[in-house]
Amino acid sequence: GYNGTIFAYGQTGTGKTFTMEGGEGDLKGIVPRTIDWIFGYIKKTTNIQYLVQVSFVEIYMEEVRDLLAKNTGTKLNIREKESGLFYIEDCKKVKVESPEEMHKLMLKGREMRKTGATLMNAGSSRSHSIFQIVVENSEVIDGETKYRMGKLNLVDLAGSERQGKTGATGERLKEGSKINLSLSILGNVISALVTGKDGSFI
């Protein structure tokens, strides 16, 4: 019944993507460990029905793309509901029933992410990625069915860059500029949330 977000933030080449995704066995990252924990918890509970869905998007050059869609090149729009909540229009949500299914979706999306080589990282992420897990459950309490929903956003941010260190030129330089701009705005948003100031800077 709670929402949460985990960011991997830092300079390019410092291991953010590995921290989030990891490798095999003991080298598993935050995302696969989270997947295993969620399904392990569900398996241990009784008399509660669960629905688990996942979506995976990237923000590349200030455009949102669906990493699980057949056409990942389609730009998605961000909309606002009457309630004030924001959502990604036409973003694909996939129902999953096992950790294996969700692991496959993570790997599928990872293969579609924009990456490129710089002097600091041969496989540098050129986009921010958001792996969102939505868990809904229903439980009968005193003869009445109660519903709860929680969302967890697992975010692998592209790394902040200095052109002098990365040696970026052309398209890589444009990507780096957009990455740094978006990270700067994100920092302002977080500061506003912490201090309670308005978001007129956006």
Side-chain angles (χ1 to χ4, degrees):
Y2 293 90
N3 298 329
T5 298
I6 297 175
F7 287 107
Y9 169 85
Q11 185 175 308
T12 186
T14 53
K16 295 179 300 300
T17 298
F18 187 77
T19 297
M20 296 304 289
E21 298 177 359
E24 298 295 328
D26 292 339
L27 295 179
K28 281 184 177 180
I30 290 174
V31 176
R33 289 176 186 271
T34 300
I35 293 170
D36 292 343
W37 187 91
I38 288 173
F39 281 97
Y41 181 87
I42 291 174
K43 188 176 181 180
K44 290 187 294 185
T45 58
T46 57
N47 302 321
I48 301 177
Q49 300 297 315
Y50 285 91
L51 171 64
V52 183
Q53 295 177 295
V54 64
S55 61
F56 200 0
V57 301
E58 71 171 353
I59 303 172
Y60 173 71
M61 299 288 281
E62 298 187 349
E63 293 185 354
V64 182
R65 292 184 168 87
D66 193 335
L67 295 173
L68 300 181
K70 290 184 178 180
N71 184 3
T72 57
T74 302
K75 176 186 174 182
L76 302 181
N77 295 311
I78 298 176
R79 304 295 189 191
E80 183 178 6
K81 296 181 180 180
E82 291 184 2
S83 62
L85 295 177
F86 290 89
Y87 68 99
I88 302 173
E89 188 177 40
D90 297 326
C91 179
K92 185 175 182 179
K93 286 186 178 179
V94 182
K95 177 183 176 182
V96 290
E97 297 181 346
S98 70
E100 291 77 18
E101 287 183 41
M102 198 179 289
H103 284 300
K104 288 180 180 179
L105 291 172
M106 183 195 77
L107 294 175
K108 175 184 177 182
R110 183 177 70 182
E111 292 300 316
M112 303 307 298
R113 280 192 71 183
K114 295 285 186 179
T115 60
T118 70
L119 293 181
M120 295 183 69
N121 188 354
S124 174
S125 299
R126 313 310 293 166
S127 68
H128 311 299
S129 75
I130 305 170
F131 190 85
Q132 185 182 80
I133 303 171
V134 179
V135 180
E136 300 178 51
N137 69 29
S138 61
E139 182 180 8
V140 178
I141 301 176
D142 297 329
E144 184 179 355
T145 303
K146 302 288 186 179
Y147 296 92
R148 289 191 299 175
M149 180 179 73
K151 296 179 182 179
L152 180 61
N153 299 296
L154 301 168
V155 185
D156 178 20
L157 295 169
S160 57
E161 298 185 348
R162 291 187 178 181
Q163 192 273 338
K165 289 186 176 181
T166 62
T169 59
E171 192 67 17
R172 291 288 172 270
L173 182 59
K174 292 179 183 178
E175 292 169 346
S177 297
K178 294 293 185 182
I179 290 169
N180 289 339
L181 174 62
S182 61
L183 291 174
S184 176
I185 292 175
L186 174 63
N188 291 339
V189 170
I190 293 174
S191 295
L193 290 171
V194 171
T195 61
K197 296 180 180 180
D198 65 43
S200 58
F201 52 81
I202 299 177

